[in-house]
Amino acid sequence: MFKKSLGLAFVSFIALSTNAHAQLEWPVITQQAKPWARWWWEGSAVNEKDLSDVLHLYKDAGLGGLEITPIYGVKGEEADNILFLSKKWMQVFDYTLKEGKKLDLGMDLANATGWPFGGPWVTDADASKSMEFKQYTLQKGESIQEPITFIQKALVRGEHRPAVDISLIKDPISLNSSADLQKWALDQVRFPVKLPLICLMAYDEKGRQTDLTSLVDKTGHLNWKAPADGYRLYAVFQGLHGKMVERAAPGGEGFVIDHFSAAAVDHYLAHFDSAFNGDALDGLRGFFNDSYEVDDAAGEADFTPKLFGEFKAMHGYDLKQYLPLLLDKDNETEQASRVLSDYRETIGDLLLRHFTEKWQHWGKSKEKLIRNQSHGSPANILDLYAAVDIPETEGTDKLRFKFASSAANVTGKTLTSSESATWLKDHFLSSLADVKKAIDLYFLGGVNHIFYHGVAYSPVNAVWPGWLFYAAVHFQPTNPQWHNFSKLNEYIARCQSFLQNSEADNDVLQYFPIYDSYASRGRSLLKHYDGMKGFEGTAFKSNAEWMLNNGYSFDFISDRQIGQLSFDDDGIKTAGGHYQTILVSAVTYMPERTLEKILQLVRAGATVLVYDHLPESVNGLGRQAGRQKKFDNLIQSLRFATSKRGIQKASLGKGTVLLSNDLAALLAAGKIRKETISDQTGLQFIRRKQGNGHYYFIDNRSDSAFEGWVSLQAIKKGAASYALFSPMRHSSGIARTRDINGKKMVLLQLRPWESIIIQASTAPVRGAGYVYTEKLADPIPLKGTWKLSFKSGGPVLPKAVTMSQLQYWSTLSDTNALNFSGTADYTLEFKKPIPDNSAKWWRLDMGDVKENAEVFLNGQKLATLIGPDFTLDIDDNLLKKNNQITIRVSNLMANRIHYMDRSGLNYKMFYNINFPAHEAENRGRDGLFTTINWDVKPSGLTGPVTLTPIGPKP
């Protein structure tokens, strides 16, 4: 467990008597419970001494582990670059694993440099492919006069401005030097080469097909004439998509793999096997893959050499016979939609089997975990997430998070991770309080394994601000906030110690209508799935949002996962636990096997909820007639009768199907638990199961304090006891409860943006009560002469000043103070206030703090406060007649960076993407981030600093 600061120790002393029951003990903080971070190795220009030094810094800051991701290099440091997976690289990697093990720091490794998977060892045969085609129209007796060939247009995309001339780039890519590839920062390259013809198909006006491929000679000449008017010919060619590894490290530059090809994935992973050379990789926990991101380029990677064979094996018909339906973007017929759906399903299945599952098996063979970001893939991402050990999400949307956490919950995985705080505000503007708000949202979305994005390896003696990464939140030791970073990490570790040692307790499995999306044309052949993108205006999205906002707990579920469900006395059973119902939200297309499984569960006793209308048809074109007949018979087995509130009810075996266009009524009829916590302004929650009880993580996402009684639905007959744990203040105790209309209510007092963990237990818990407080009198301002002294930072330490009125140091006339980023002390001598009532504690409110602070009273450290709340309860006994308080404030990096921009001092010294602006107003004439138009950012303390007498709430 973390050591408590003296300022928080007194709170825990009050809350926990020495004879407190063991159930009130905080869970043990493990390496895995602590937050981890992506660790950028820029240029892999690392050395053993600096590796050791920074690893100790990370350990002391409270990180539990790191994910090594080699990335582009630093200008001026080229001589120290180490080529990825070279013998020297493996030596420093092995050293890092050993040092990490000594320090109890876990290690993961990205299976690539940058993203997506690729490198110089990826040949054209294994690189991502595109489907290119030409269309011809012939009348009777006509033939194609030109050669049926396709010369791929040259294309170069990348960060280099102006774009590199294609004539300078050698083909194959592996012939180019790493130095040139770093300089060019290529994102996509297509050479002007002749593409291989895959097939040539002719279609008459009635749609009858003729395969003409064998009639095309080596020169591209077709020896064939149209036997009738209105023939359309489609020539399909295998293109080289040209996607390059983004942000590649030296030795990692090259084409991205064909994720749909088993051979390409085997060849790719074999290169790692060769580099590892049988090493057991002791100290390495697992491997990581960033989000798919192959198609954030020109065109799409929408083909693979064995596509047509795989398609036929999966769907029972030849896709080549239906090319007009697939390739004509304006064809909105039902048959075209069905062919398109089958094509998209095939691509998704190949991505699952040939990449995700194959990679998972490879990791398992090495006894390593696989952590994957599946979002953005052209597949059912619930199945991709479910195929790996640790599904990982990112972003700022809880519904987006729930795709990863749902897959983990349904399949019984312990961890759901997140790429956290990638972009909050623009560079140098995010505070630890901003990060805390973002992290809490991940917890509410089901994440329990935080990865910061990230820390960049930087030599200890590098000129300030050191080596940085292009994403905007800089978790660097050079950041003044690093001084108090451990406080945030302790908070996260305490939260995750509960969230990792419990299981999801959600009631509803909401069916993911992937086939409705597959059948909708869209702008491209493929669709890429990432949260609710593409589901705007659907009942699936609106119902999920409504449940999220109205106290219903749910997970998403795929067709493949429904196939693994069973039913017992506790409800619908998954590998991860039990659910009360399945919700089908206005779905049009559903495989007959999915419908059959759902109705099997109903016959066994399950209740299934159908919103608005029953599914209408099977998906796709393959074997449609037989499948549709079976589907129709299943639908016809449901005999609905109208019951209360207009709900239509069909009994089938031991269970029921309920149908309504009123979601609230539908959930009520299904007896689904509604948590009224969400009815309280600002409060959001997630519910978890643990042993004989439950945990609730509740977050007050508001600038206002909350006090009130909340009802909990976890234990229907009422828990024997409720305990509260405040992970930021490290206080705990037995909650105050009362019964209202047969419901157990728990009293909560939450400060702005504070979270609380409630342990609801069926077993009795003995121990001291949780400390509830009330204000005894009005706040008393601390007045007098404040001394401001600067402790550490730069570029120059300003001179100490005194002030009768608190003010930011950024408002002083001293130019050094305006430019300063670092840490400074605000110190005041004051007499102990004498209130009208006897105070047990004094609530110190520091008012406006930019950006975080440590508090010292009479030379004794009381606490570290990172915000958003800057209040602290001080035991009355700690105040003497005469006192000295010091508030040690650390600000942002912003003002010192602003000074560097104004002074022409360069910190943007990176290859590839050299410091982009997140916001357009921070983009300079050179296209890079700049602070030149900023005002000086507020830094320090303005208060008012007050003491308020408080006592126990009666």
Side-chain angles (χ1 to χ4, degrees), residues 477-489:
T478 54
N479 188 330
Q481 295 182 95
W482 185 272
H483 190 61
N484 297 321
F485 189 34
S486 61
K487 178 67 175 182
L488 175 61
N489 294 331

Side-chain angles (χ1 to χ4, degrees), residues 908-927:
K908 293 170 281 192
M909 51 189 182
F910 309 101
Y911 284 96
N912 204 288
I913 184 166
N914 189 18
F915 244 68
H918 195 240
E919 306 297 336
E921 60 265 28
N922 297 326
R923 191 174 300 130
R925 292 180 179 178
D926 59 0

Side-chain angles (χ1 to χ4, degrees), residues 597-647:
K597 182 66 178 185
I598 289 174
L599 296 188
Q600 284 177 2
L601 296 170
V602 174
R603 289 189 178 92
T607 296
V608 170
L609 309 180
V610 179
Y611 176 79
D612 195 67
H613 63 79
L614 290 166
E616 298 173 1
S617 176
V618 296
N619 61 295
L621 186 65
R623 308 178 183 93
Q624 181 187 358
R627 295 170 56 232
Q628 187 66 45
K629 182 178 180 181
K630 184 175 183 179
F631 179 95
D632 292 341
N633 289 337
L634 291 168
I635 291 293
Q636 291 166 12
S637 70
L638 299 173
R639 304 288 188 220
F640 286 97
T642 302
S643 60
K644 296 179 181 179
R645 295 188 64 179
I647 302 292

Side-chain angles (χ1 to χ4, degrees), residues 420-640:
S420 310
T422 306
W423 293 94
L424 298 181
K425 300 176 182 177
D426 218 329
H427 292 283
F428 314 114
L429 295 179
S430 298
S431 68
L432 294 179
D434 295 325
V435 177
K436 179 205 177 291
K437 292 179 182 180
I439 298 302
D440 285 342
L441 195 65
Y442 282 112
F443 291 155
L444 292 166
V447 169
N448 61 2
H449 190 22
I450 295 295
F451 273 77
Y452 294 122
H453 188 279
V455 292
Y457 166 91
S458 183
V460 174
N461 63 355
V463 175
W464 196 93
W467 299 1
L468 303 173
F469 187 63
Y470 78 86
V473 182
H474 301 287
F475 298 100
Q476 296 295 107
T478 54
N479 188 330
Q481 295 182 95
W482 185 272
H483 190 61
N484 297 321
F485 189 34
S486 61
K487 178 67 175 182
L488 175 61
N489 294 331
E490 290 170 6
Y491 166 77
I492 293 171
R494 291 180 190 128
C495 291
Q496 293 190 157
S497 70
F498 286 95
L499 297 174
Q500 290 181 4
N501 290 288
S502 55
E503 301 173 353
D505 184 31
N506 299 329
D507 295 331
V508 179
L509 290 167
Q510 187 180 20
Y511 174 69
F512 182 40
I514 189 72
Y515 292 103
D516 283 3
S517 177
Y518 279 167
S520 175
R521 171 65 67 174
R523 293 179 296 179
S524 304
L525 278 180
L526 295 181
K527 286 189 174 182
H528 298 81
Y529 295 93
D530 190 347
M532 287 294 174
K533 290 180 180 178
F535 290 92
E536 293 80 5
T538 66
F540 170 66
K541 181 183 179 184
S542 61
N543 284 353
E545 290 174 336
W546 191 90
M547 289 190 293
L548 194 67
N549 294 328
N550 286 275
Y552 294 94
S553 296
F554 63 95
D555 283 317
F556 302 130
I557 191 166
S558 71
D559 295 87
R560 187 183 299 264
Q561 292 159 7
I562 285 177
Q564 303 301 313
L565 299 178
S566 60
F567 186 84
D568 60 26
D569 291 342
D570 294 319
I572 299 172
K573 184 180 180 182
T574 73
H578 287 84
Y579 294 80
Q580 291 180 254
T581 191
I582 298 172
L583 172 63
V584 180
S585 298
V587 171
T588 299
Y589 296 107
M590 177 182 283
E592 81 289 351
R593 62 184 181 273
T594 300
L595 180 59
E596 181 179 33
K597 182 66 178 185
I598 289 174
L599 296 188
Q600 284 177 2
L601 296 170
V602 174
R603 289 189 178 92
T607 296
V608 170
L609 309 180
V610 179
Y611 176 79
D612 195 67
H613 63 79
L614 290 166
E616 298 173 1
S617 176
V618 296
N619 61 295
L621 186 65
R623 308 178 183 93
Q624 181 187 358
R627 295 170 56 232
Q628 187 66 45
K629 182 178 180 181
K630 184 175 183 179
F631 179 95
D632 292 341
N633 289 337
L634 291 168
I635 291 293
Q636 291 166 12
S637 70
L638 299 173
R639 304 288 188 220
F640 286 97

Side-chain angles (χ1 to χ4, degrees), residues 220-240:
H221 176 70
L222 171 64
N223 185 23
W224 181 85
K225 294 182 179 181
D229 288 341
Y231 260 85
R232 289 183 298 161
L233 276 63
Y234 284 77
V236 174
F237 303 86
Q238 178 178 283
L240 288 170

Side-chain angles (χ1 to χ4, degrees), residues 372-387:
N372 188 42
Q373 293 184 0
S374 300
H375 48 272
S377 298
N380 190 325
I381 58 175
L382 290 174
D383 293 333
L384 300 185
Y385 277 133

